[in-house]
Amino acid sequence: MWPLLKAEWDDNKYLLLVIFIFMELNFLTMAYLDRSQAPLVSSLPHLLTVVALIFFFNRRFTEKRVRLQQLLPLSLKDLSVGRIFFQLWFWAGALLLCGLSHLFYGSDSARHYLVWRLLALNSLLISTNAVYLISYDLWTDVSEKSNSTRVAIIILLWIYIFLSGHFYIEPESWPLATADSIPAVNRIFYFTPWGVLLLHLISFGLCFGSVKVYQRRRTYFT
Amino acid sequence: MLLNLTDISNEPLQSQISRQIRAKILAGELKAGTSLPSIRLLARDQHVSVITVQRAYEALMREELIHSRRGKGFFVSEIAQKEKKELAKQRLRENLELPVKAAMAEGLSSKEIHESVDFVIKEKIK
Amino acid sequence: MTKAFQFIDVVKTYPDFKLGPLNFELAPGIVLGYIGPNGSGKTTTLHALVGLIKVDRGQMEIFGRKNDPNKIDWKFDIGYVGDVHVFYEGWSGAKNLKFLSQFYPDWSDKRVTELAQRFNVPLNKKAKELSGGNRVKLALISALAHSPKLLLLDEPTSGLDPVVRSEVLDVLFEILEDGERAIFYSTHILSDINRLADELAFLDNGQIVLRTAKDDLTENWRKISFRLNEPVTKFEAVVNHRQEGTDHQVISANYQITLRQLSELGAENIQENRMTIDEIAVQILKGGKDVAAVKG
């Protein structure tokens, strides 16, 4: 598995570098805007980060890449875990950048929310990652299984991601929002330890799901 | 062993191989006791399938021109000169059947056919 | 002796096509040509064997080991050149090969250099910059470098010029010398396996209609022309018949039987010609199971 992960890193290192720089600029902008009390646009960088994620995956997850890996003398387990592992590792780096940016440039009030924000972002990224992998596998697996079930699952998963992202965006950036009007959803999930824990459980559940979906594929090309 | 095999002939590769080896044996080029290349080596060398060579060797073994020793390979057998002549005569007769038939179908007499054979020996084969 | 591979009751169903049930095997030391028209299932058969698709029924074994996707030992025994060649496109050929070498214990760098030289492949060029022919050559090198006991080849010489094609066949003949390796060669360019193949399996619409030694076909099939005045409805062992007046032309799957009948019938001006594997294959594939039965 390790030679594969090393190879994946090597193959993508320039793209990764560009994305990391892009994300760092995002986070710095966000932290700066927090400081200057212009929270309306502070969540934009987060959204852009997710877009960067999707762009990155599109480039990497091609049928040929799947085929290449599937033909290697690696067990299915190694391959499926390797995929997830690589992505998570990538996002660990992203989180580190986000955290550091906040620590050094964020405002005081921002730091208060820092912990929650970071953790919520963490679970959001892991979930998006896993859902992308699951969607790719379900969408491209050519088999005679019923199409409608697969499409339904894909749609549900992306609705979950969209809602997570939507509620993640700082409520105080909503127009006409006040501290009291932070909706219950945000309060429970993004500002309490239990909520964040639950979000993480869901994220890791989705990761596990993506491992299983890969192993269950009937074909490894489109 | 150098053989001259071709795909553009009516003669199957297997026959070409056994014929050419037979000719070498009968002409004395391959003396009794000489070892023949292994089936795989010949197959690889002449770019033919193993089964092709195997069948060629089997044909030669049936004619008792070669024999195999377990673990040691294939060897040219001892053949008396008289026997060699007999085999060569047999082959010639087999080979003559078709051309003679065709010649007779085209109206040539037995005498004319004999004349043509003499002609070939004298003029064509120097 | 363990078979190089074995297909046991393998079935894979698609909405408009069914592959199988496939029941066949390959002994070591043998080259099996897998022949069939496009869409007959040749590539699907190989995909199933190497684990790119999962079958609906049955199982496959490679040197006695099931091709279990959760195990890797069976993968060391095979070298696969598929219908699509996959590399890290941004890397050079050499880097791609170095990457692969980490996975195979029997990989030989010396062999890589030797093959690259013989096939004339520029290993320092990026994979995406290689011509189609060079990609095939690179794929061949990656399949051969760890000296696998079973070579699975899907149209491996497509896009190659005659010189390289000849070199590839040279290498394949060499590999067979120790008698322990097997080659499964799927193609519809029969001139390649004209000499190489020991046995042939004909695939038509997902089923193997005939499995035979190649020499049996080339020995027994003939194109025979003759003149016959009497009307005859059926010629023995014949799969194709053309007639103009009293001139006949037949394709016989067993010329000795046919000739015997012709001589009994008093046919004249009998001329027989051997057929190339291509010509025979076309007859078999056109005729399907009926033609295959005639051969018997």
Side-chain angles (χ1 to χ4, degrees), chain A residues 1 3-4 6-8 10-11 13 63-79 142-144 214-221, chain C residues 12-15 47 50-56 69-72 75-76 80 82-91 95-96 99-100 102-104 135:
Chain A
M1 187 169 72
L4 183 61
K6 256 188 3 206
E8 291 288 291
D10 193 302
D11 188 44
K13 56 184 178 224
E63 181 221 326
K64 285 204 168 178
R65 185 57 56 82
V66 174
R67 217 190 241 238
L68 190 155
Q69 297 184 349
Q70 186 59 22
L71 287 172
L72 292 171
L74 288 173
S75 70
L76 210 49
K77 196 176 101 195
D78 274 348
L79 283 171
V142 175
S143 69
E144 74 279 14
Y214 183 78
Q215 290 179 353
R216 288 237 161 81
R217 279 185 73 152
R218 304 283 297 160
T219 71
Y220 289 95
F221 50 84
Chain C
K12 173 76 181 174
T13 320
Y14 289 99
H47 282 167
V50 299
L52 282 175
I53 63 175
K54 291 192 183 129
V55 295
D56 299 324
N70 292 310
K71 299 230 173 72
I72 61 172
K75 287 191 178 177
F76 295 137
Y80 172 60
D83 50 325
V84 172
H85 311 119
V86 283
F87 308 106
Y88 280 105
E89 301 294 332
W91 290 359
K95 197 167 177 192
N96 269 289
F99 163 68
L100 287 173
Q102 297 172 299
F103 295 96
Y104 293 96
R135 283 180 74 93

Side-chain angles (χ1 to χ4, degrees), chain A residues 36-103:
Chain A
S36 63
Q37 312 287 320
L40 188 65
V41 294
S42 67
S43 31
L44 214 53
H46 288 213
L47 280 167
L48 291 174
T49 309
V50 177
V51 169
L53 159 81
I54 302 218
F55 166 75
F56 176 64
F57 280 175
N58 267 330
R59 193 216 169 263
R60 286 195 57 251
F61 274 93
T62 59
E63 181 221 326
K64 285 204 168 178
R65 185 57 56 82
V66 174
R67 217 190 241 238
L68 190 155
Q69 297 184 349
Q70 186 59 22
L71 287 172
L72 292 171
L74 288 173
S75 70
L76 210 49
K77 196 176 101 195
D78 274 348
L79 283 171
S80 47
V81 170
R83 279 192 333 167
I84 281 282
F85 189 84
F86 182 79
Q87 312 301 347
L88 289 180
W89 171 87
F90 168 75
W91 291 117
L95 277 172
L96 189 66
L97 287 179
C98 180
L100 288 173
S101 313
H102 265 291
L103 275 170

Side-chain angles (χ1 to χ4, degrees), chain A:
Chain A
M1 187 169 72
W2 291 108
L4 183 61
L5 294 177
K6 256 188 3 206
E8 291 288 291
W9 157 254
D10 193 302
D11 188 44
N12 293 291
K13 56 184 178 224
Y14 297 120
L15 184 63
L16 280 174
L17 198 62
V18 165
I19 290 181
F20 273 134
I21 292 175
F22 174 72
M23 287 168 73
E24 179 56 32
L25 290 173
N26 277 349
F27 295 136
L28 285 174
T29 314
M30 183 173 74
Y32 175 77
L33 289 172
D34 270 338
R35 199 190 250 178
S36 63
Q37 312 287 320
L40 188 65
V41 294
S42 67
S43 31
L44 214 53
H46 288 213
L47 280 167
L48 291 174
T49 309
V50 177
V51 169
L53 159 81
I54 302 218
F55 166 75
F56 176 64
F57 280 175
N58 267 330
R59 193 216 169 263
R60 286 195 57 251
F61 274 93
T62 59
E63 181 221 326
K64 285 204 168 178
R65 185 57 56 82
V66 174
R67 217 190 241 238
L68 190 155
Q69 297 184 349
Q70 186 59 22
L71 287 172
L72 292 171
L74 288 173
S75 70
L76 210 49
K77 196 176 101 195
D78 274 348
L79 283 171
S80 47
V81 170
R83 279 192 333 167
I84 281 282
F85 189 84
F86 182 79
Q87 312 301 347
L88 289 180
W89 171 87
F90 168 75
W91 291 117
L95 277 172
L96 189 66
L97 287 179
C98 180
L100 288 173
S101 313
H102 265 291
L103 275 170
F104 289 112
Y105 291 100
S107 60
D108 286 333
S109 64
R111 273 192 220 111
H112 169 71
Y113 290 128
L114 175 65
V115 171
W116 304 122
R117 231 184 235 164
L118 273 184
L119 292 174
L121 178 62
N122 188 36
S123 87
L124 173 63
L125 294 178
I126 296 174
S127 298
T128 312
N129 174 37
V131 164
Y132 189 90
L133 292 175
I134 295 176
S135 312
Y136 179 83
D137 281 334
L138 285 179
W139 187 254
T140 61
D141 188 13
V142 175
S143 69
E144 74 279 14
K145 270 206 321 248
S146 90
N147 256 330
S148 39
T149 328
R150 288 190 285 153
V151 171
I153 295 176
I154 294 174
I155 291 179
L156 281 173
L157 288 173
W158 281 106
I159 288 176
Y160 169 73
I161 295 296
F162 174 74
L163 287 175
S164 305
H166 174 76
F167 284 110
Y168 169 71
I169 296 171
E170 298 84 350
E172 56 269 28
S173 64
W174 301 348
L176 309 176
T178 62
D180 303 322
S181 67
I182 296 175
V185 174
N186 282 73
R187 216 185 344 222
I188 295 170
F189 286 107
Y190 291 94
F191 294 99
T192 66
W194 292 113
V196 167
L197 182 65
L198 180 63
L199 282 178
H200 275 79
L201 283 176
I202 296 177
S203 305
F204 289 123
L206 287 171
C207 285
F208 181 76
S210 91
V211 166
K212 280 297 166 196
V213 167
Y214 183 78
Q215 290 179 353
R216 288 237 161 81
R217 279 185 73 152
R218 304 283 297 160
T219 71
Y220 289 95
F221 50 84
T222 52

